[in-house]
Amino acid sequence: MSDAITRFRDGGVIPAHPLALDAGRRLDERRQRALSRYYIESGSLGLAVGVHTTQFELHSTHRDLFAPVLALAADTAAEYGAGAPLLVAGVAGGVEQAVTEARIAAEAGYDFVLLTPYGATDATDDELVERAVRVAEVLPVIGFYLQAAIGGRRLGAGFWRRFAEVPGVIGVKIAPFDRYATLEVARGVAASGRSDVALYTGNDDSIVVDLMSRLPGRGPDESPVALPIVGGLLGQWAVWTRQAVSVHARARRAQAGDHAERGDLARLAPVLTDANGAIFDVANRFAGCVPGIHEVLRRQGLLAGTWCLDERESLSPGQSEEISRVIAAYPELHDDEFVAAHRDRWLS
């Protein structure tokens, strides 16, 4: 077993890396590097690049951005030597596109791929499993259960059992924003008998509760098992990442039986959900999700603006005011002082 897989299974904070653009919607390499440095120095276990928060448009071949953006993050991570983070590449499309992108990621030095549903939403369950088999021949695979509001579809316990049975699968990012669907993933993974498939939350609406949870299931012999959620691969963790690392550590203590920590985190859980509602633009069915992340980073001086590859993606009416509200209401979530102390160096 590789050291990277061991570290991934132990769990941690993996921010979903945004895409820094200039006013002409071109890649801003200086700010892109600054974001990577911010996440690494915040204590992140890894960086996830090419995922939803990086914008699925990145995978369009006419953009010619996928390989350069992956390479930029890998190059920046290499600055940290032994302290470099794990690198996760989001890959998309049907089998051929996903395999091609996985090879690009492997050549750039990435450890794993996150199989995103973008470009494969019409695939059958059989086709999705076959895609995982083929991609796992290139790099270890993390599954991605994406919420329906931004392009996902229902994948039941039977699918997740078959998915977990693929030898090259090492984890699942559970992000349906649905408690019932979240439990189905655990049931499927448990039924596969794979106790080494790490569960990461992608449910940005329920981060703290997930991190304290052990999800019930039954093994192949029908014996009861409880699967821990060991970390998160989250768009929400693209902002206030230093504090996210602290929350993750506290949640792992609570999961292990620290009742005082559990009580404190139970009070924090709805606070973070409220903040996420503003940043992810829940009021408008997540239309301003990525620009909302950008807006927080812009206010911290890490990004120059909220521009997205798709010109139609922008802050929704009233979203900026909602972000101001949660920033003022919940100072315990911020890492503004940490960012201010290091921002100029990250941008240099």
Side-chain angles (χ1 to χ4, degrees), residues 107-286:
E107 290 172 3
Y110 278 66
D111 299 291
F112 319 121
V113 298
L114 179 73
L115 269 180
T116 73
Y118 179 74
T121 51
D122 294 331
T124 66
D125 286 4
D126 288 346
E127 289 168 337
L128 291 176
V129 172
E130 175 60 22
R131 184 175 71 146
V133 171
R134 291 279 305 280
V135 172
E137 294 171 356
V138 182
L139 282 174
V141 165
I142 305 165
F144 185 4
Y145 196 174
L146 178 68
Q147 62 156 320
I150 54 175
R153 67 172 177 83
R154 186 182 179 280
L155 296 166
F159 169 81
W160 290 110
R161 175 174 183 164
R162 294 176 59 201
F163 188 89
E165 288 170 345
V166 175
V169 166
I170 61 164
V172 179
K173 169 181 172 170
I174 309 173
F177 285 43
D178 181 312
R179 307 317 297 161
Y180 304 108
T182 294
L183 291 171
E184 282 194 315
V185 177
R187 285 174 47 216
V189 172
S192 76
R194 289 283 307 278
S195 60
D196 58 346
V197 173
L199 301 185
Y200 275 63
T201 182
N203 290 321
D204 301 78
D205 65 338
S206 189
I207 296 170
V208 176
V209 171
D210 275 359
L211 290 175
M212 293 192 295
S213 295
R214 291 180 178 270
L215 304 180
R218 290 190 176 272
D221 61 355
E222 290 299 313
S223 59
V225 297
L227 302 178
I229 293 183
V230 299
L233 200 167
L234 293 155
Q236 175 62 45
W237 282 353
V239 302
W240 305 334
T241 312
R242 181 75 167 183
Q243 289 301 97
V245 170
S246 174
V247 169
H248 174 263
R250 294 170 59 195
R252 294 305 296 274
R253 292 195 292 270
Q255 191 184 77
D258 186 328
H259 297 296
E261 198 75 271
R262 179 174 287 274
D264 287 343
L265 287 172
R267 289 185 284 274
L268 181 66
V271 166
L272 186 54
T273 297
D274 187 25
N276 177 258
I279 296 168
F280 272 35
D281 194 27
V282 175
N284 295 287
R285 292 188 56 78
F286 305 95

